[in-house]
Amino acid sequence: LTLVFIGDGAPAGNYGYTNSGYSVYEEENERLTESLRTKVSAIKSLSIEIGTEVKNQNKMLSEMDDDFDSTGGLLGATMGRLRTLSRGSQTKLLCYMMLFALFVFFVIYWIIKLR
């Protein structure tokens, strides 16, 4: 069994051929390595941009959550006032609504009559 290594142990006649073949593979590896480096760099910059965007979106969502909480508190207070109003005299509320409806009816009638 004889082992032949490319380069040092090769016969003199084949030395140039094996060396140029090795060089072609080495150049191909270098080209592929550089291509991989470029792709990794692009992915890295893209992931950094995604991280920045996620931080901005989380900040915006937090601000929206605070706004919704304050709006919910305001709406809750308004609903409490409406409940207090509705617990009062129903006849009084019904009377006010009827007077308002009659007022709107007479205003609309008066506008139509003037035309």
Side-chain angles (χ1 to χ4, degrees):
L1 178 66
T2 306
L3 295 175
V4 177
F5 295 101
I6 299 176
D8 296 334
N14 291 338
Y15 183 74
Y17 176 75
T18 56
N19 190 23
S20 68
Y22 177 74
S23 178
V24 168
Y25 290 128
E26 187 174 327
E27 287 173 9
E28 179 70 15
N29 277 344
E30 287 297 323
R31 186 182 64 76
L32 291 174
T33 303
E34 187 58 36
S35 172
L36 185 60
R37 239 183 240 126
T38 304
K39 290 176 183 176
V40 167
S41 175
I43 290 173
K44 179 183 175 184
S45 65
L46 183 62
S47 66
I48 289 172
E49 289 176 16
I50 288 173
T52 304
E53 184 65 26
V54 165
K55 286 178 186 175
N56 290 338
Q57 294 292 328
N58 281 339
K59 182 181 174 187
M60 191 182 311
L61 284 173
S62 175
E63 291 171 358
M64 284 179 61
D65 187 38
D66 293 342
D67 290 343
F68 280 128
D69 284 343
S70 66
T71 304
L74 181 64
L75 186 61
T78 304
M79 291 302 290
R81 289 186 196 121
L82 281 174
R83 276 191 216 109
T84 304
L85 257 175
S86 68
R87 286 186 195 139
S89 171
Q90 295 292 332
T91 22
K92 193 180 211 184
L93 184 62
L94 187 60
C95 185
Y96 285 140
M97 288 181 69
M98 291 299 286
L99 286 173
F100 179 73
L102 283 172
F103 174 74
V104 170
F105 174 74
F106 283 121
V107 168
I108 292 173
Y109 177 75
W110 182 67
I111 290 173
I112 291 173
K113 183 120 176 149
L114 287 177
R115 286 186 179 202

